[in-house]
Amino acid sequence: MTTQEEINLPFNEMIEPKLLRHRVVSPQLYSEIHKRSLDQGPQFWESVARELDWFKPWEKTLDDSNPPFYKWFVGGEVNASYLTVDRHANGWRRNKVALIWEGEPWSDGPKEVKKLTYLDLYREVNRVAYLLKEEYGLGKGDTMGIYLPMIPELPIFMLAAARLGVAFTVVFSGFSAQAVADRMNDAEAKLLVTADGGWRRGKVVPLKDIVDKALESTKTIRNVLVVRRTGQEVRMEKGRDRYLHEVLSKVPQNAYVEPERVKSEDPLYILYTSGTTGKPKGIVHGVGGYMTLLHATMKWAFDIRDEDVFWCTADIGWVTGHSYIVFGPLMEGATEVLYEGALDYPEPDRWVSIVERHNVSVLYTSPTAIRTFMKYGEQWITKHDVSSVRLMHSVGEPINPEAWRWFFKLVGKERIPFGSTWWMTETGGILITITPGSYMVPMKPGTNGPPILGVAANVYNDEGKPVPEETKGYLVIERPWPGMPLTIHRDPERYVKVYWSKFPGTFYVGDYAVKDKDGYFWILGRADEVLKIAGHRIGTYELESALIQHPAVAEAAVVGVPDPVRGEVAEAFVILRGGTSVRPELKEELVKFVRENYGPIAVFREIHFVNKLPKTRSGKIMRRVVRAVATGSEVGDITSLEDEASVEEIRKALQEFK
Ligand code: WT7
């Protein structure tokens, strides 16, 4: 991606003002408005937070007495389930549709569409909360796990847990047993909610079987609740496992559970995400600051209104879904789409048909999805009416200008805002976007735009000094913001080390970025050993550990290489155990092994067998060198290598592959 690219398109004039509440301003004017927001300090956020319904107002906006463990809106009491459900169910939005849910339209089954109003949602959340509290004794301070497909029970359980002040951890239903077990153990979850199975591309993902396997190595799970979704036979362990519909049938329809008055800085959820080394980190998000950021960005980035149909195409298992399917849109009382399955199954235009049938007006999707649609061709879009859409954003990875232009033309009809919002699991919500307040700045294909009001982003060099415009460096956030993590669950030292130590006092993001002369940020990709395969964040370390669990593998190095559709895919270099013969089917077997043991989101371009890997004298694999060779870039200084011939070894393996 290039920022030097000449971008002189009059996108400003193309925007249809009647579709938008934002004021379109020049980058210079926005930067002044932004500066004024920063001048107010943390107090800037008070007027946003005041729009939430607090049980008890906060006493201190920002407690910065113990950095980097910042606390927002201290003294305030609030409940995320109350904000998303009660407020609307007890008000004029009671009969408004909250969720339009579509099941996967598998070929020989019914096409299911369910609509839940805010009152329906309120009833279900209360009944589930009642069950969790009365039947399972869960309450404040407890943790529970959720491993569900994209069915209404998923948000319902999250909201029910939030109601009780029970911290939950959602495991993406594409992850395998090991990931479930690791997360349940780290979170010390007592209860796990799952389904018999989930639908994905016409096939059943056997979630309960995976849970059974995971529970062989968990220590704290006492009970499992099983949602009946696919209906296949599953093993139910007596005394531990129960079907949800059976236990729920005993809960009265009008069950009511008082929402717990939780402290603003109490944990709402733990979400595991990959880092450079070690197992995934449990990012802990609190309630008050997090909900404040979501409220701000639902208004700013998405301009959300009551007449909108909002659709975020992510899976709730990732932070995008937590923030912009569950907590953000529901807090705003929006109507939104929830879908099970895949965007392009059974036909490449399933997603366009959802937009058309439900009149989606605000669309939030990903570059990988867009590039997949490009591959299928524009005829799948042009045969549908997408004129309901009035605003779009993408998220998850950098968007290449070609994909941006294609989507802007075909779906945006070159008249509506289309941005690439930057944020990450740790930030809780959107921090960089072309709609960074009640303002919009002119679009540029591929940019992320300026930081939102109240957020100080910058680009630093290795010495921790801001770099000049148009210079590549590290993206940082220079001040605390509402929605920032509380900590890493059970590992506060790691929280300090990973995010706050590279540049003391400043939040280190782990992305490369460039800031242009208009103050727009262009996020270039990860600066560490983290992959973004189809927007999914995967640690190279995790794929390497998955590989070396195979009996044929002695050592493995995994790096990311560019992919035209997925943005990036993995490439592995493997040293086999002595005596292993290189069978022709071994590569395939290893790929299958990793996908089974880690999850199908692991996509490899190729697995190469080598005799040596580039290592330092202390035996650390130099992935930087492996990646440089694999991507054909400058290898740089290799004097610290133990054996320079190892570089040749990688080169040879790649040539054989070509
Ligand atoms: C990483 C965070 C935020 C929800 C989804 C991902 C990359 C995210 C963009 C964007 C360029 C982006 C960054 C970041 N990223 N959005 N609009 N343009 N890169 O959350 O799984 O925590 O991943 O995704 O590299 O560090 P995540």
Side-chain angles (χ1 to χ4, degrees):
M1 178 172 327
T2 150
T3 62
Q4 282 77 25
E5 177 191 15
E6 203 42 61
I7 306 148
N8 264 332
L9 299 172
F11 291 127
N12 246 340
E13 279 117 70
M14 290 180 180
I15 295 299
E16 279 193 20
K18 64 173 183 289
L19 295 175
L20 198 68
R21 249 185 324 206
H22 291 105
R23 207 178 118 207
V24 183
V25 296
S26 69
Q28 292 68 33
L29 179 54
Y30 176 72
S31 114
E32 272 166 41
I33 298 167
H34 179 252
K35 212 173 287 144
R36 283 209 295 274
S37 75
L38 291 185
D39 288 345
Q40 292 175 44
Q43 274 65 34
F44 166 79
W45 289 101
E46 288 176 356
S47 59
V48 182
R50 235 176 262 127
E51 290 175 8
L52 271 51
D53 236 327
W54 297 78
F55 297 134
K56 183 170 163 277
W58 64 91
E59 283 141 28
K60 199 165 172 46
T61 304
L62 174 67
D63 175 356
D64 55 3
S65 60
N66 182 26
F69 301 95
Y70 298 96
K71 292 177 179 166
W72 282 88
F73 309 114
V74 183
E77 289 176 1
V78 66
N79 184 292
S81 173
Y82 177 82
L83 290 181
T84 45
V85 181
D86 299 46
R87 260 200 322 175
H88 309 309
N90 294 330
W92 60 269
R93 290 196 184 96
R94 145 182 311 230
N95 291 325
K96 181 178 170 180
V97 173
L99 295 174
I100 306 172
W101 174 77
E102 273 208 20
E104 175 168 289
W106 65 99
S107 43
D108 53 349
K111 284 194 168 47
E112 291 171 284
V113 175
K114 241 194 237 170
K115 290 186 179 177
L116 270 84
T117 64
Y118 275 94
L119 187 56
D120 295 331
L121 194 58
Y122 174 82
R123 208 177 273 140
E124 294 312 316
V125 167
N126 268 291
R127 294 181 72 218
V128 168
Y130 184 93
L131 187 72
L132 296 178
K133 185 177 174 190
E134 303 299 333
E135 190 67 29
Y136 293 100
L138 295 184
K140 216 168 144 178
D142 289 328
T143 9
M144 63 176 277
I146 304 178
Y147 182 57
L148 284 173
M150 288 281 280
I151 53 178
E153 284 81 357
L154 175 48
I156 288 169
F157 267 95
M158 292 161 77
L159 296 169
R163 193 168 191 86
L164 301 172
V166 171
F168 57 84
T169 185
V170 177
V171 184
F172 170 56
S173 62
F175 276 131
S176 307
Q178 186 67 48
V180 177
D182 286 348
R183 284 155 172 78
M184 292 309 114
N185 284 333
D186 188 78
E188 298 167 290
K190 291 186 174 153
L191 173 90
L192 176 58
V193 187
T194 188
D196 47 4
W199 288 103
R200 176 101 182 148
R201 298 186 184 278
K203 292 201 189 80
V204 168
V205 183
L207 297 176
K208 178 60 168 64
D209 294 352
I210 297 171
V211 163
D212 287 342
K213 200 169 150 217
L215 262 53
E216 285 168 16
S217 56
T218 56
K219 302 183 197 91
T220 53
I221 300 286
R222 296 194 293 241
N223 295 100
V224 178
L225 270 171
V226 182
V227 178
R228 199 154 70 187
R229 168 70 191 129
T230 46
Q232 87 270 26
E233 188 103 25
V234 293
R235 196 177 71 85
M236 296 294 272
E237 191 173 303
K238 228 172 161 249
R240 187 192 73 183
D241 306 346
R242 283 151 104 190
Y243 274 114
L244 177 69
H245 63 272
E246 282 171 10
V247 276
L248 210 52
S249 69
K250 293 176 206 119
V251 177
Q253 285 296 330
N254 61 353
Y256 172 74
V257 179
E258 184 94 35
E260 185 77 27
R261 296 168 69 117
V262 296
K263 286 203 218 99
S264 170
E265 71 275 20
D266 275 348
L268 174 61
Y269 65 76
I270 306 167
L271 185 55
Y272 288 83
T273 191
S274 302
T276 301
T277 53
K279 294 209 161 163
K281 310 167 272 200
I283 299 298
V284 187
H285 278 298
V287 190
Y290 177 71
M291 295 301 274
T292 300
L293 179 64
L294 294 187
H295 176 55
T297 51
M298 282 307 300
K299 287 203 304 188
W300 297 343
F302 297 113
D303 185 33
I304 195 76
R305 309 178 202 178
D306 267 302
E307 55 275 31
D308 277 319
V309 176
F310 182 82
W311 186 23
C312 165
T313 68
D315 192 289
I316 291 177
W318 307 101
V319 75
T320 313
H322 280 59
S323 296
Y324 297 108
I325 298 178
V326 183
F327 292 105
L330 296 177
M331 173 166 46
E332 303 305 309
T335 294
E336 66 173 326
V337 174
L338 186 69
Y339 77 106
E340 179 191 36
L343 292 171
D344 58 346
Y345 181 88
E347 295 291 340
D349 61 344
R350 177 180 181 209
W351 72 275
V352 213
S353 124
I354 291 180
V355 168
E356 181 179 56
R357 279 180 292 113
H358 302 301
N359 291 319
V360 169
S361 58
V362 178
L363 180 63
Y364 197 24
T365 191
S366 72
T368 288
I370 293 169
R371 289 189 296 256
T372 308
F373 307 152
M374 272 175 96
K375 201 180 61 186
Y376 289 127
E378 60 178 66
Q379 71 278 11
W380 293 100
I381 299 183
T382 49
K383 71 176 187 187
H384 292 277
D385 177 8
V386 293
S387 59
S388 57
V389 184
R390 69 173 187 91
L391 191 149
M392 313 188 288
H393 281 296
S394 96
V395 65
E397 47 181 314
I399 188 163
N400 46 313
E402 309 77 60
W404 186 92
R405 285 207 172 86
W406 187 83
F407 209 63
F408 182 56
K409 179 159 160 255
L410 275 161
V411 183
K413 309 290 181 206
E414 300 188 319
R415 61 175 196 142
I416 64 171
F418 178 30
S420 169
T421 60
W422 176 89
W423 58 294
M424 62 200 303
T425 306
E426 292 84 341
T427 67
I430 295 167
L431 295 193
I432 300 181
T433 168
I434 55 156
T435 43
S438 310
Y439 309 94
M440 183 190 159
V441 292
M443 294 185 268
K444 301 182 195 182
T447 192
N448 298 101
I452 61 169
L453 296 178
V455 165
N458 213 338
V459 182
Y460 283 5
N461 62 14
D462 275 304
E463 282 75 53
K465 297 268 171 335
V467 297
E469 281 165 10
E470 306 286 355
T471 310
K472 181 173 163 180
Y474 303 104
L475 180 67
V476 296
I477 314 293
E478 294 175 308
R479 297 185 191 182
W481 69 97
M484 65 195 304
L486 299 180
T487 185
I488 291 178
H489 185 59
R490 297 207 305 168
D491 206 347
E493 295 84 27
R494 193 172 172 199
Y495 178 61
V496 178
K497 189 162 163 261
V498 173
Y499 303 105
W500 298 93
S501 301
K502 188 170 173 81
F503 307 121
T506 297
F507 185 85
Y508 173 69
V509 162
D511 279 338
Y512 284 125
V514 160
K515 189 160 83 167
D516 72 14
K517 59 180 185 346
D518 288 328
Y520 287 21
F521 286 75
W522 299 70
I523 312 306
L524 306 172
R526 298 289 311 181
D528 55 12
E529 312 287 353
V530 171
L531 306 181
K532 289 249 91 185
I533 302 181
H536 298 135
R537 181 164 162 185
I538 305 175
T540 46
Y541 168 87
E542 290 163 82
L543 297 184
E544 289 167 3
S545 347
L547 277 167
I548 58 179
Q549 278 171 37
H550 190 280
V553 177
E555 282 184 85
V558 172
V559 295
V561 291
D563 178 84
V565 174
R566 293 187 176 88
E568 192 173 39
V569 289
E571 181 135 351
F573 299 85
V574 164
I575 302 179
L576 293 174
R577 271 180 202 280
T580 311
S581 56
V582 182
R583 292 167 270 131
E585 62 289 353
L586 186 56
K587 283 184 184 180
E588 232 169 90
E589 192 183 308
L590 288 180
V591 171
K592 204 167 143 246
F593 180 81
V594 173
R595 290 168 67 92
E596 266 164 21
N597 286 278
Y598 177 81
I601 54 171
V603 181
F604 289 94
R605 178 167 79 175
E606 183 63 20
I607 294 185
H608 308 273
F609 300 127
V610 292
N611 296 313
K612 291 176 197 155
L613 287 169
K615 284 187 192 159
T616 59
R617 286 194 187 89
S618 56
K620 257 183 77 183
I621 295 175
M622 289 185 79
R623 289 199 200 83
R624 172 183 70 77
V625 175
V626 181
R627 193 187 318 114
V629 180
T631 55
S633 54
E634 211 50 55
V635 172
D637 180 17
I638 50 168
T639 47
S640 56
L641 274 187
E642 179 201 29
D643 178 359
E644 289 188 17
S646 57
V647 178
E648 229 11 77
E649 190 59 36
I650 302 282
R651 230 173 241 141
K652 220 173 70 211
L654 284 159
Q655 259 149 18
E656 277 161 21
F657 166 59
K658 278 183 196 129

